[in-house]
C-alpha cells in the first residue's frame, strides 16, 4: 500500500503506543492539523484507529462568575445583616443585593438556617440566627469552578446539586482523541521501505529532473471522499441558456415580449375567432387592472376586423360574424409566446426574419404532475421566400437533436393560425411525448400586415423537455426549490 510521507510519519509515531493528536504530531514532527489529517487517511485505510472520548464539563456562566467574585447573595446578605442588624429583603436590595437577588435570598437564608424570618408590615424581616454562617458544599465548589470548566466526575456531587438550582452553571463537552495503530497498520509498517513518496511535482524537481528519481504517491481511486456541493444554476436556467445557444447558432435573433397583452395581439391578430373556447375564462386569465387597452393601430385593427368578418382580400371567407373591438381590447396574461412573434412580424414585414423567444406563459389550468398554470414556451418563426413545410420539420428536428432527442415525430394538428399545422413529439424511452405545436401562418394572419412571404412558426414547451432530460415524474419539482434535489439535478 502506498502511504504519503505524512501518513508514514504518523504510523511510525504510533508504533510506540497510543497517542493524543498533539503527542503524535510532535513525535512525527508535524503540525497537529497535518497529523490529524494523516491519521484520518490512515483510518480510512484501516491502518489506524481514532478513538473519541467525550467528557462532560461543568463551568460557570456570566452570572456564576460574578457570584464567584462577589460571593453568593445569601453570603453578602448575612455579612451585611451582621454588620447593620435585622432588615427586610427590600432593604437589602438597596444595599448589597440586586433586586433579583433580594427576591431569592429569603429562601436560601432559610434553607441554610442563617437567619430568622418574621413577618412585618414592610415585608419579611430578616434577623441573623448566629454569628457564624457556616459554609455548605456550594461555596467551595463555586471557588473551584472560578478557575474554569471541569469534568463533572471530578466535582463534589453535593455542591453540584446546590449550585444546579441557581442557573449559574454552563455545561459543555470536551472531545479527546486517541490515535492508535491497528494490526494491519503494524503489518504495513513492516513493509515500508523507508523510502519517502513524493506528493507533488515542484518547479525545482522539473528543472533538476529530480522527478525522474523519486517515487510518487499514487492516487487512491477507491477512497470515498465527501461530496462538496457547489453553487450551480437552476436546471431550467441552464436549459434556457442551452436553447438560446442552439437558436443563436442556427442564425436566429432573440426577441422578448410582455406578460400583459391585449386579446387583439394574443388572439385576434392570430385569426382566433372571438367565440373560440380558448378565450373563455376557464382557459385565459383576464386582468381587472388594466381591464383593457386602447387599440391605436387603426390600419391593423381594420385589416384584422375585415379578415375575421369576410376574409378580407385573402380569398378566405373569414369567420363570418361581427367582430368586436371591445373584446379585442381586453387585457390578459399572454397564453402563448406566439403573441411576441406576430407583434414582431407586424413591425418587420420584409424577409428574411429568423427570431425566437423563450418566455413565461399563463393558462388557467389545474396544477398536477404534468401541468403547470405558468410555464415556459420556446417560440420561433422563419420568414423566407423558400420557407417550406419540409424546412419547418427539418429545423425542429435539428433543434431537438441538438437538445439530445434524436427521435422526433410530427403529427397533423389544428391551430386557427396555421395551415398546415402539426404537433411535434419526441421519443423518450418507449414513449412519445407531445412537446409543442407548429405550422405555417395562414394568409389570414400574414395578409393584414401586408406579408405574402411564407412564415414558419412553432411554440414548444420547455418544462416537459426539462422533465424528460432530468428524469422527473412530477413537473412541479422544477419549481419546488428542493435543495437536496437541486444539488444533484443534472
Ligand atoms: N401557440 C401554440 C401553443 O401554445 C403553439 C404554436 C405556435 C402552434 C406557433 C403553431 C404555431 O400551443
Amino acid at each position: 500500500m502506498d502511504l504519503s510521507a505524512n501518513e508514514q510519519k504518523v504510523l511510525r509515531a504510533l508504533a510506540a503506543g497510543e497517542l493524543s493528536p498533539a503527542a503524535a504530531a510532535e513525535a512525527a514532527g508535524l503540525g497537529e492539523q497535518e497529523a490529524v489529517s494523516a491519521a484520518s487517511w490512515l483510518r480510512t485505510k484501516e491502518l489506524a484507529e481514532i478513538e473519541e472520548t467525550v467528557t462532560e464539563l461543568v463551568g460557570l456562566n456570566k452570572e456564576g462568575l460574578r457570584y464567584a467574585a462577589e460571593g453568593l447573595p445569601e453570603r453578602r446578605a448575612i455579612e451585611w445583616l451582621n454588620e447593620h442588624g435585622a432588615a427586610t429583603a427590600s432593604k437589602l436590595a438597596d444595599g448589597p443585593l440586586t433586586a433579583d437577588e433580594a427576591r431569592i435570598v429569603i429562601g436560601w437564608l432559610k434553607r441554610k438556617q442563617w437567619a430568622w424570618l418574621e413577618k412585618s408590615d414592610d415585608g419579611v424581616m430578616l434577623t441573623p440566627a448566629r454569628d457564624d454562617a457556616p459554609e455548605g458544599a456550594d461555596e467551595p465548589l463555586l471557588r473551584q469552578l472560578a478557575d474554569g470548566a471541569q469534568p463533572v466526575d471530578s466535582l463534589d456531587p453535593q455542591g453540584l446539586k446546590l449550585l444546579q438550582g441557581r442557573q449559574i452553571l454552563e455545561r459543555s463537552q470536551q472531545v479527546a482523541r486517541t490515535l492508535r495503530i491497528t494490526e494491519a497498520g503494524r503489518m504495513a509498517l513492516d513493509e515500508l521501505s523507508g523510502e519517502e513518496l513524493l506528493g507533488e511535482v515542484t518547479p525545482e524537481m522539473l528543472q533538476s529532473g529530480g522527478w525522474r528519481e523519486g517515487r510518487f504517491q499514487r492516487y487512491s481511486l477507491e477512497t470515498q471522499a465527501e461530496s462538496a456541493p457547489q453553487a450551480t444554476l437552476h436546471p431550467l436556467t441552464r436549459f434556457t441558456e442551452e436553447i438560446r445557444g442552439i437558436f443563436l447558432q442556427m442564425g436566429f435573433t432573440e426577441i422578448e415580449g410582455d406578460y400583459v397583452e391585449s386579446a387583439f395581439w394574443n388572439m385576434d391578430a392570430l385569426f382566433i375567432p372571438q367565440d373560440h373556447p380558448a378565450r373563455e375564462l376557464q382557459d385565459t386569465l383576464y386582468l381587472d387592472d388594466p381591464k383593457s387597452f386602447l387599440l391605436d393601430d387603426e390600419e391593423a385593427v381594420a385589416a384584422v376586423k375585415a379578415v375575421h368578418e369576410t376574409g378580407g382580400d385573402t380569398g378566405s371567407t373569414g369567420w363570418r360574424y361581427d367582430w368586436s373591438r371591445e373584446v379585442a381590447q381586453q387585457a390578459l396574461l399572454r397564453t402563448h409566446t406566439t403573441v411576441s412573434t406576430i407583434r414582431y412580424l407586424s413591425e418587420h414585414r420584409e424577409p428574411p426574419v429568423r427570431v425566437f423567444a423563450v418566455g413565461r406563459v399563463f393558462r388557467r389550468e389545474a396544477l398536477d404532475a404534468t401541468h403547470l398554470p405558468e410555464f415556459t414556451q420556446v417560440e420561433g418563426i422563419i420568414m423566407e421566400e423558400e420557407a417550406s413545410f419540409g424546412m419547418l420539420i427539418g429545423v425542429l428536428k435539428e433543434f431537438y437533436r441538438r437538445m439530445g432527442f434524436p427521435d422526433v415525430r410530427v403529427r397533423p394538428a389544428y391551430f386557427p393560425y396555421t395551415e398546415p399545422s402539426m404537433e411535434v413529439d419526441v421519443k423518450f424511452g418507449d414513449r412519445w411525448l407531445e412537446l409543442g405545436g407548429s405550422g405555417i401562418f395562414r394568409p389570414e394572419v400574414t395578409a393584414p400586415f401586408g406579408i405574402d412571404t411564407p412564415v414558419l412558426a412553432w411554440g414548444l414547451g420547455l418544462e416537459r423537455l426539462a422533465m424528460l432530460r432530468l428524469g422527473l415524474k412530477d413537473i412541479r419539482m422544477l419549481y419546488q426549490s428542493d435543495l437536496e434535489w437541486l444539488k444533484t439535478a443534472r
Side-chain angles (χ1 to χ4, degrees), residues 335-338 363 375 377 379-380 415 417-418 421-423 436-439 441 457-460:
T335 60
H336 53 187
T337 39
T338 317
R363 290 183 195 174
F375 60 99
Q377 282 190 327
E379 191 84 27
F415 300 99
Y417 34 98
T418 47
S421 307
M422 64 180 182
E423 202 89 61
S438 63
F441 277 152
W458 58 88
L460 317 168

